[in-house]
Amino acid sequence: MGKKISVIIPTYCRPALLTECLKTLAQQHFDRDAFEVIVVSDGPDLLTKQVVVSWKHTSLLDIVYMPLDAKKGPAAARNAGWKLAKGPLVAFTDDDTRPDPFWLQQIWEAWAGEPLMAFTGRLIVPLPPAPTDYEWNTAQLETARFITANCVCTREALEQTGGFDERFEMAWREDSDLEFRLLQQNIPIRHLPDAIVVHPVRAAGWGVSLREQRKAMFNALLYKKFPKLYRKWIHPRPLWEYYGMIIFCLVMLGALLSGAGSVALLALLGWMILLTAFIRRRLAHTSRAWPHVVEMIITSVLIPFLSVYWNLYGAWRYKVLYW
């Protein structure tokens, strides 16, 4: 029997998470011989290889391990995976997800054999009663229009669009880039609410929101490629609040150095108003435990500077007027 669906999983040095994902794929209510799993390591990774080999020996999955020769990012890993795919449908998920037992069955039943077609499934992010800011932000993936944790393309659609743009070197905006190219080439994207993937939130250390700001450089690349779609579906306007906080800080510093105390006080007041609004917004749906509140206060002071820096760095790197 030929393969119907090829499942592509990019990963790197996360064998425990990958193992849990593979367990759910082994429990699919879908003919085992009708799908394959291609695990692509974003660089040589002995532990990941051992996990895949151990699963191959169980005969519970038709599974393949492929390492990239160097770390290039999940977009490059996914491209390497789908180019090996034997099935006419290529399903993408991540190593930290848990596909529903009927995930592949729902996908296959939805496809009518169209050569150029894409699907986006439903993502569920379980949250505790009082989530952290990081957990809450991760949960917003549930409302994403097209996300690589749960999407499917025909192989012909991937060949026509060229797959993922490997300039997106981190897990950020590469899914929207593929979505926009599908739309640009009039390839239909159908939502499958019953094709479910669960995405638990991974544990994150203190100040994770600061490290996350580096991803903002890829906003500029997506904007350069699709300015109208970017403004329509991603950010309808620049983050004026961030620029406002930075300007107030610079004015306050300049006023203090020049001895203009009243101007410095007014700038401090403006900065405090914007900062307080930002902190309140981050705490609106999240935990009020004091360690979390302290983290929100400290990181909220720094985030505007980091975000604007990485956005402007992206504008310089990709040679586009973007802020």
Side-chain angles (χ1 to χ4, degrees):
M1 174 189 290
K3 300 300 179 186
K4 296 178 178 177
I5 304 177
S6 298
V7 180
I8 312 302
I9 306 175
T11 188
Y12 186 66
C13 294
R14 303 202 297 196
L17 289 172
L18 177 63
T19 297
E20 294 304 312
C21 180
L22 294 177
K23 285 180 182 178
T24 63
L25 290 173
Q27 296 166 1
Q28 290 292 302
H29 291 263
F30 198 68
D31 185 351
R32 187 191 68 84
D33 295 326
F35 75 99
E36 62 178 345
V37 178
I38 302 175
V39 175
V40 184
S41 176
D42 186 19
D45 180 359
L46 181 58
L47 289 178
T48 296
K49 180 179 181 180
Q50 290 173 345
V51 168
V52 173
V53 169
S54 66
W55 273 97
K56 196 171 187 69
H57 287 160
T58 67
S59 299
L60 296 174
L61 288 171
D62 183 351
I63 189 168
V64 175
Y65 170 73
M66 178 188 182
L68 300 185
D69 56 4
K71 190 167 177 57
K72 301 176 182 177
R78 293 190 187 99
N79 280 343
W82 72 257
K83 289 174 183 177
L84 283 181
K86 299 176 183 176
L89 287 181
V90 181
F92 296 97
T93 193
D94 295 332
D95 61 4
D96 55 353
T97 64
R98 311 286 184 269
D100 179 81
F102 293 93
W103 181 53
L104 294 179
Q105 187 63 36
Q106 291 291 336
I107 292 168
W108 183 252
E109 291 179 355
W111 187 48
E114 305 95 332
L116 297 174
M117 189 68 176
F119 300 100
T120 177
R122 178 184 170 198
L123 198 72
I124 296 176
V125 182
L127 284 181
T132 64
D133 174 70
Y134 176 71
E135 291 169 334
W136 176 259
N137 287 334
T138 302
Q140 305 318 299
L141 293 174
E142 291 185 343
T143 61
R145 290 163 42 85
F146 188 89
I147 185 167
T148 45
N150 186 3
C151 71
V152 186
C153 296
T154 61
R155 184 182 175 92
E156 289 188 48
L158 290 167
E159 289 173 345
Q160 180 163 312
T161 59
F164 294 91
D165 186 336
E166 297 183 12
R167 289 179 293 175
F168 292 91
E169 299 161 353
M170 301 176 70
W172 189 252
R173 303 303 186 206
E174 82 284 5
D175 41 13
S176 295
D177 175 74
L178 177 58
E179 176 197 11
F180 291 170
R181 278 184 287 124
L182 290 167
L183 293 173
Q184 190 179 59
Q185 298 188 34
N186 296 314
I187 297 175
I189 302 174
R190 180 180 167 193
H191 180 56
L192 303 179
D194 294 324
I196 298 170
V197 167
V198 177
H199 191 312
V201 182
R202 302 192 308 275
W206 192 95
V208 61
S209 58
L210 301 179
R211 297 188 293 275
E212 290 285 288
Q213 299 309 311
R214 187 172 184 268
K215 296 178 178 178
M217 76 170 88
F218 299 109
N219 292 340
L221 176 56
L222 185 62
Y223 176 81
K224 180 177 182 178
K225 297 179 69 175
F226 306 99
K228 292 182 179 179
L229 288 173
Y230 182 91
R231 287 303 181 201
K232 181 177 181 179
W233 297 114
I234 307 296
H235 287 145
R237 60 180 179 81
L239 297 173
W240 295 121
E241 297 88 346
Y242 287 4
Y243 289 102
M245 281 187 270
I246 292 172
I247 290 171
F248 277 128
C249 282
L250 293 176
V251 170
M252 181 173 58
L253 180 61
L256 287 173
L257 292 175
S258 62
S262 58
V263 174
L265 187 60
L266 286 174
L268 174 63
L269 179 61
W271 175 71
M272 287 295 297
I273 290 172
L274 292 179
L275 177 63
T276 301
F278 183 38
I279 295 170
R280 286 172 60 88
R281 190 162 63 248
R282 296 181 73 196
L283 289 172
H285 304 285
T286 61
S287 171
R288 299 300 178 87
W290 72 263
H292 183 255
V293 173
V294 170
E295 179 182 354
M296 292 301 96
I297 294 172
I298 296 173
T299 56
S300 293
V301 172
L302 300 173
I303 281 174
F305 294 91
L306 290 172
S307 177
V308 168
Y309 168 79
W310 284 114
N311 274 285
L312 295 180
Y313 174 81
W316 171 81
R317 180 178 182 179
Y318 299 112
K319 306 299 186 290
V320 59
L321 184 61
Y322 169 82
W323 58 87

